[in-house]
Amino acid sequence: MSVQTVRLYELRGLITPSRTSGGTRRYQAKDLARLQQISELIDRGVNLAGIGIILELESENEALRKALAKQSHRQGAD
């Protein structure tokens, strides 16, 4: 994957690497996993707009799962 491609993904909001105080991008394991996921979706023919929607839905789904687990844990404690 080229540097320009990674910057395009960042510009489109598909990845958000942290930055040093000097502005250098710092990629973590989660960023690399997301880049791999984006690459796989592109290989399957999904365009960048579709990838953005998929990633957003996955994030919402994960948040709902965490909220449900938390609620379930609270009910189990009662």
Side-chain angles (χ1 to χ4, degrees):
M1 187 173 297
S2 72
V3 172
Q4 292 85 359
T5 300
V6 174
R7 287 184 180 159
L8 173 65
Y9 296 163
E10 185 179 357
L11 181 66
R12 296 282 180 103
L14 301 177
I15 60 169
T16 312
S18 59
R19 298 208 181 239
T20 65
S21 58
T24 303
R25 292 170 181 84
R26 302 277 309 212
Y27 296 97
Q28 299 176 1
K30 67 181 179 88
D31 299 313
L32 300 178
R34 180 163 270 201
L35 287 171
Q36 178 65 36
Q37 183 181 16
I38 292 168
S39 179
E40 291 169 4
L41 289 168
I42 286 174
D43 288 346
R44 296 174 88 180
V46 181
N47 64 24
L48 293 182
I51 290 171
I53 292 168
I54 290 168
L55 295 176
E56 184 178 318
L57 289 171
E58 285 181 348
S59 179
E60 289 175 12
N61 192 11
E62 183 61 28
L64 288 171
R65 283 184 184 165
K66 286 180 181 178
L68 184 59
K70 188 182 248 186
Q71 181 182 19
S72 199
H73 179 70
R74 273 192 239 139
Q75 288 178 351
D78 293 339

